[in-house]
C-alpha cells in the first residue's frame, strides 16, 4: 500500500481467547487478513475473508491458501498470528 492509500480497517469484537481478526482493504481491491492467537494453546478460528480465491501467506510467499467460501477455519499456533493477502508480494 502506498502512504496516501485510503484504507478501510475492520477489527473483530471477539474476546482474546477466541482469536482476534484484522481486515484491511486498500486501493485496487487489495485485501489483508490477520488472524491472531493470543493464548498459550494452538487454536482453530472461524475466519471471514472479504472474497474467495487464492490468498497468499505474507510470511511465506510460496504458501498459498485456496479460500472457497468466505468463512473458513484457520489453525494458528499458540501466541502467534497468520497474515494473508489477496495479492502476491513476490516480484
Amino acid at each position: 500500500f502506498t502512504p496516501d492509500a485510503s484504507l478501510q480497517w475492520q477489527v473483530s469484537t471477539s474476546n482474546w481467547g477466541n482469536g482476534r481478526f484484522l481486515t484491511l482493504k486498500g486501493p485496487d481491491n487489495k485485501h489483508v487478513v490477520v488472524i491472531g492467537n493470543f493464548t498459550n494453546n494452538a487454536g482453530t478460528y472461524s475466519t471471514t475473508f472479504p472474497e474467495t480465491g487464492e490468498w497468499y501467506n505474507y510470511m511465506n510467499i510460496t504458501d498459498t491458501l485456496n479460500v472457497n467460501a468466505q468463512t473458513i477455519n484457520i489453525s494458528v499456533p499458540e501466541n502467534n498470528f497468520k497474515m494473508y493477502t489477496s495479492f502476491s508480494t513476490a516480484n
Side-chain angles (χ1 to χ4, degrees):
F1 300 111
T2 61
D4 61 343
S6 173
L7 297 175
Q8 296 175 2
W9 295 73
Q10 177 182 348
V11 179
S12 68
T13 57
S14 64
N15 67 39
W16 292 103
N18 289 328
R20 297 291 291 185
F21 307 92
L22 172 65
T23 303
L24 298 150
K25 179 181 180 185
D28 302 325
N29 207 31
K30 292 181 177 179
H31 299 280
V32 176
V33 173
V34 180
I35 308 104
N37 177 359
F38 298 94
T39 70
N40 292 326
N41 299 300
T44 299
Y45 304 104
S46 178
T47 307
T48 300
F49 284 79
E51 59 187 37
T52 59
E54 188 171 41
W55 284 73
Y56 303 88
N57 182 337
Y58 186 79
M59 306 308 280
N60 178 359
I61 60 174
T62 61
D63 181 24
T64 60
L65 176 68
N66 182 20
V67 176
N68 54 14
Q70 280 195 289
T71 302
I72 63 172
N73 289 330
I74 301 289
S75 296
V76 182
E78 63 277 357
N79 300 305
N80 216 314
F81 72 95
K82 290 194 177 179
M83 180 187 301
Y84 292 97
T85 62
S86 62
F87 54 94
S88 175
T89 58
N91 291 332

